[in-house]
Amino acid sequence: MSEVRVRFPPSPTGYLHIGGARTAILNWLYARKYNGKFILRIEDTDAERSTRESIEGILDGLTWLGIDWDEGPYFQTDFADQHIAAAEKMIAEGKAYRCYCTKEELEAKREATLAAKQSLKYDGTCRNLTAEERAAKEAKGLPSVIRFKVPEKDGVVAYEDKVLGRIERRYVDIEDFVIVRSNGKPLYLLSNVVDDIRDRITHIIRGQDHLTNTTRQILLYEALNAQIPVFAHMPLTLDLNKAKISKRSHGEIVAVQFYRAKGFIPWALVNFLVLLGWSPGDDREIFTKEELIEAFTLERINKSHAIFNYRKDDPKFFTDPKAININAHYLRTLPIAEIGDMVKKELQEAHLWDDAYDGEKKQWYLDTLDMIRDRFHTLKDFTTLGRAYFADDFAIEEAALNKNLLKYPELKNWLPMLADRFAALPVFDKDSVEQAARVFAEEIGVKPGIPINASRAVITGLVKGPSMFELFVHMGRDKVMERLRSAGKYFV
Ligand code: GLU
Ligand code: ZN
């Protein structure tokens, strides 16, 4: 078998969309599985809509996700000459022709065929011009487009889609489509094929929104005497109302950048996106890179459209809950050193980073993350919900305040008293702290849970968290005493 060569050819007209990222990921997986090449090609032919920022955003997004490419980025505009040359060659071989029909003429024909309820395709006026007629039009300097001459034959253009099975379309249903505009610019259908031939692409894995292009592109491959690649069309990603997800209707949640800003672990997003359109055939949902490469096959790409389960009206979830759950899974299970590197960036951004976390406080830092990560869903949670571990100015949760603190006004005095007990301990370890807290509760005549939960509230700002006796020791006597002694500020 020849080398597998796949490509991701985004049009740089916006940010990297999660649908685009999914396309890139599936192609990349296929290349990695077969030790092939993954080629990045920027389809910047639409000069008006293509932007530098968009190109940078796409490259950044892929890099952040860990999707590395072997060749490129190539830029389609660098190959415009090849696209035109291919069109000229087809003209010379009688496989394409210049069409001089004006917009007005084409419109009038459309109206007429519509009235007659005939096929709306181009009627082929210029296909049958004699050499003299053609020369006369050229002499007049009439503008022209180049149309592909769809073979006039019975039967169908057909191919075997790796996902959808046999796809066919009757020749008579395909019109002589335009491949070069009157301003001399090639169209996507042509450029894309010429580039794929030059780049020796063996497999084209792309969205079902391109299905109608594929049969026409196969005709171009045939006309250019090139080998037709394998096609695999992926399902679309729809929202709960079965509409395509888009920036216009869903906002920023469709951009890869959004997930980065929300504190996603890149591989967690890759894992989620792969499952949006592919399944392993069993109930596994979490995959390492190696496992995914091993399990991935084109045949297991789903036929039916994927549903992106996002409810704008549920404030608990800022995106598909499954994505959040997968992210939380990685947050809980990745080696703590890896989490440490990722959280470091978050802390730096939030101005909560202390260089000692890379030095003498490294173990404390990693232990902190390990103690608190079980309840978190994103990397951002470490700087928001986990802020009390890294700064003294943290907010207290509403529930912690009302339920664990204000409910017992005497805590205002009790917590500083508890601090005194801690101050008097010869050693500040888990057992002596627990002993002191229990004795203290008994003396003031309340359940130990009352001063303990109140301590949690003033030390972490949260209702729930790691075991309090461990936490006292972890935070250190000084910090614990300081926060217990200043409990009064919550009662004013
Ligand atoms: N530039 C096209 C797009 O972004 C590429 C389609 C293809 O894979 O052929 O949709
Ligand atoms: Zn014409």
Side-chain angles (χ1 to χ4, degrees), residues 97-102 105-106 109 122-127 129 145 147:
Y97 59 91
R98 290 197 173 273
C99 163
Y100 304 89
C101 299
T102 63
E105 284 166 346
L106 291 173
K109 283 182 207 175
Y122 175 65
D123 69 350
T125 306
C126 302
R127 185 177 169 126
L129 294 179
V145 299
R147 284 184 189 272

Side-chain angles (χ1 to χ4, degrees), residues 272-283:
F272 168 71
L273 290 176
V274 167
L275 295 178
L276 217 52
W278 174 86
S279 69
D282 50 43
D283 54 9

Side-chain angles (χ1 to χ4, degrees), residues 108-121 173:
K109 283 182 207 175
R110 255 179 96 83
E111 307 258 295
T113 45
L114 230 119
K117 293 203 164 66
Q118 283 161 357
S119 151
L120 281 178
K121 62 182 207 179
D173 292 332

Side-chain angles (χ1 to χ4, degrees), residues 231-246:
F231 284 94
H233 286 93
M234 300 177 299
L236 306 178
T237 303
L238 306 179
D239 69 9
L240 291 167
N241 301 320
K242 303 273 154 75
K244 251 181 103 167
I245 56 165
S246 69

Side-chain angles (χ1 to χ4, degrees), residues 7 9-11 43 188 192 204 206 210:
R7 76 327 187 242
S11 305
E43 296 205 322
Y188 157 76
N192 184 257
I204 293 183
R206 62 183 178 188
H210 287 288

Side-chain angles (χ1 to χ4, degrees), residues 228-464:
I228 298 165
V230 173
F231 284 94
H233 286 93
M234 300 177 299
L236 306 178
T237 303
L238 306 179
D239 69 9
L240 291 167
N241 301 320
K242 303 273 154 75
K244 251 181 103 167
I245 56 165
S246 69
K247 176 148 190 190
R248 204 167 347 121
S249 42
H250 302 84
E252 53 179 4
I253 63 154
V254 304
V256 165
Q257 190 52 44
F258 172 77
Y259 294 83
R260 185 180 187 171
K262 281 289 185 182
F264 261 68
I265 294 172
W267 184 257
L269 185 59
V270 171
N271 191 145
F272 168 71
L273 290 176
V274 167
L275 295 178
L276 217 52
W278 174 86
S279 69
D282 50 43
D283 54 9
R284 281 181 296 165
E285 292 209 312
I286 300 291
F287 297 85
T288 62
K289 184 167 146 183
E290 291 67 31
E291 286 166 347
L292 198 53
I293 291 170
E294 162 80 32
F296 185 72
T297 65
L298 295 181
E299 289 78 6
R300 295 221 64 93
I301 291 177
N302 300 333
K303 289 187 179 57
S304 51
H305 297 318
I307 300 295
F308 186 75
N309 180 0
Y310 169 58
R311 297 158 206 271
K312 275 191 218 157
D313 46 1
D314 188 343
K316 247 200 346 272
F317 298 110
F318 56 82
T319 183
D320 188 326
K322 183 165 177 174
I324 299 176
N325 289 336
I326 290 179
N327 198 56
H329 172 86
Y330 282 101
L331 215 56
R332 283 195 304 272
T333 56
L334 280 179
I336 200 66
E338 263 179 67
I339 298 292
D341 291 341
M342 291 188 267
V343 174
K344 176 177 178 178
K345 291 200 192 94
E346 299 294 336
L347 291 176
Q348 282 173 328
E349 231 174 78
H351 306 288
L352 295 174
W353 176 253
D354 176 349
D355 282 337
Y357 298 157
D358 262 341
E360 75 268 21
K361 288 197 198 158
K362 181 152 193 158
Q363 198 53 49
W364 182 87
Y365 169 64
L366 296 178
D367 288 347
T368 302
L369 305 187
D370 210 15
M371 282 175 100
I372 59 183
R373 64 172 167 166
D374 274 7
R375 285 187 182 76
F376 290 175
H377 293 93
T378 73
L379 294 167
K380 288 283 168 220
D381 291 342
F382 290 91
T383 60
T384 54
L385 297 172
R387 188 177 173 95
Y389 291 86
F390 309 107
D392 290 321
D393 61 329
F394 57 90
I396 186 165
E397 269 184 327
E398 203 59 26
L401 183 66
N402 295 325
K403 211 173 102 197
N404 293 342
L405 222 46
L406 302 186
K407 203 166 147 196
Y408 310 97
E410 277 152 293
L411 280 166
K412 184 175 153 186
N413 304 315
W414 289 341
L415 292 181
M417 282 161 72
L418 181 59
D420 293 341
R421 301 294 173 99
F422 285 167
L425 289 175
V427 279
F428 196 71
D429 64 9
K430 202 176 147 235
D431 289 343
S432 29
V433 162
E434 175 164 7
Q435 172 79 5
R438 291 194 189 281
V439 169
F440 176 69
E442 213 176 301
E443 282 178 25
I444 59 174
V446 299
K447 282 190 249 146
I450 290 175
I452 288 169
N453 288 330
S455 302
R456 174 174 292 115
V458 300
I459 291 170
T460 69
L462 304 179
V463 177
K464 287 190 182 137

